[in-house]
């Protein structure tokens, strides 16, 4: 099993550009999450999904959109990139919510200039 | 959801026991406490989880006092490879979760 994979590993965007961060898991997990991690800070939850077709906002959803059309994939969309979105983005999955172990991908480092 | 507070950094030497405490004063009765380890340029990795009292696995122990306002991650006999950032996470069954800012542990030879 590859676990949780994320692409791309690095990306530089100009202000106002859009992009999609890809996340795929092969563990047949129901729950998937997107976090951002700013330097010296903990992870903040952007969006999560409890299953295909169901998504919900986390702590910091503004400026982002998600979709969950399949169990495996949970892409994160940035429509109008802003410098404040410069961060490292982590995708994670778990079999069940409610405190179940989360498995994280390797992250995507995004810089918006 | 409870705010989590951790020390910014800690130093230790190989072979010592390391205890990292996380404060979560307003923790609710249905909140879980989980600790993750993160190496540079990697995603966090699960270490241990608990609800109350003491939990132990092959790599760590987790102590949670009766009032649950704090939790302590204990790493026995650390090695250089334990140098990492350690995060505590408080979460409930409504998918509300709050990571601490992390404790950077440096293990010296």
């Amino acid at each position: 099993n590859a676990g949780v994979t994320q692409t791309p590993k690095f990306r530089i965007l100009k202000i106002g550009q859009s992009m999609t961060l890809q996340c795929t898991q092969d563990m047949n997990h129901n729950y998937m999450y997107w976090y951002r991690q700013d330097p010296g800070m903990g992870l903040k939850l952007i969006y999560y999904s409890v299953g295909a077709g169901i998504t919900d906002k986390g702590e910091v959803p503004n400026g982002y959109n998600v979709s969950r059309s399949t169990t495996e994939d949970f892409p994160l969309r940035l429509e109008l990139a802003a410098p404040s979105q410069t961060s490292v983005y982590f995708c994670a999955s778990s079999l069940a919510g409610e405190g179940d172990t989360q498995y994280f991908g390797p992250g995507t480092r995004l810089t918006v200039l | 959801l409870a705010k989590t507070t951790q020390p910014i950094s800690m130093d230790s030497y190989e072979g010592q026991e390391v205890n990292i405490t996380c404060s979560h004063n307003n923790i609710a009765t249905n909140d879980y406490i989980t600790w993750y380890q993160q190496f540079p340029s990697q995603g966090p990795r699960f270490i241990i989880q608990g609800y109350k009292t003491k939990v132990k696995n092959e790599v760590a122990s987790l102590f949670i006092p009766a009032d649950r306002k704090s939790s302590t991650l204990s790493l026995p006999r650390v090695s250089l490879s334990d140098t990492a950032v350690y995060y505590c996470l408080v979460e409930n069954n409504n998918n509300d979760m709050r990571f601490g800012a992390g404790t950077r542990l440096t293990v010296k030879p």
Side-chain angles (χ1 to χ4, degrees), chain A residues 31 33 35 37 40-43 45 48 50 59 90 97-102 104-106, chain B residues 32 34 36 38 41-44 46 49 87 89 91-95 97-101:
Chain A
Y31 286 69
Y33 311 85
Y35 296 91
Q37 184 176 40
M41 306 291 288
L43 288 86
L45 183 65
Y48 68 94
V50 302
E59 186 181 357
F90 289 100
E98 304 178 9
D100 196 21
T101 300
Q102 295 186 41
F104 285 82
Chain B
Y32 296 86
T34 311
Y36 286 83
Q38 186 179 30
S41 301
Q42 295 185 23
F46 173 87
Q49 182 185 73
Y87 293 95
L89 167 65
E91 58 184 320
N92 60 26
N93 55 9
N94 291 322
N95 292 300
M97 56 186 72
R98 187 72 52 85
F99 275 91

Side-chain angles (χ1 to χ4, degrees), chain A residues 11-75:
Chain A
R11 184 72 184 268
I12 298 175
L13 284 180
K14 294 182 179 179
I15 295 173
Q17 287 185 320
S18 63
M19 77 164 294
T20 299
L21 282 67
Q22 302 291 345
C23 175
T24 301
Q25 55 92 8
D26 62 0
M27 297 174 282
N28 202 31
H29 284 173
N30 295 311
Y31 286 69
M32 296 188 74
Y33 311 85
W34 273 107
Y35 296 91
R36 60 176 289 171
Q37 184 176 40
D38 298 325
M41 306 291 288
L43 288 86
K44 293 188 182 297
L45 183 65
I46 304 172
Y47 271 95
Y48 68 94
S49 169
V50 302
I54 305 171
T55 62
D56 210 343
K57 297 178 180 178
E59 186 181 357
V60 289
N62 291 344
Y64 307 95
N65 281 299
V66 293
S67 59
R68 184 97 181 269
S69 57
T70 67
T71 299
E72 296 79 16
D73 301 306
F74 190 41

Side-chain angles (χ1 to χ4, degrees), chain B residues 61-80:
Chain B
S61 296
L62 179 60
F63 301 93
I64 305 171
D67 65 8
R68 304 204 325 128
K69 292 185 176 183
S70 66
S71 58
T72 299
L73 172 71
S74 181
L75 304 173
R77 298 180 298 281
V78 294
S79 64
L80 296 177

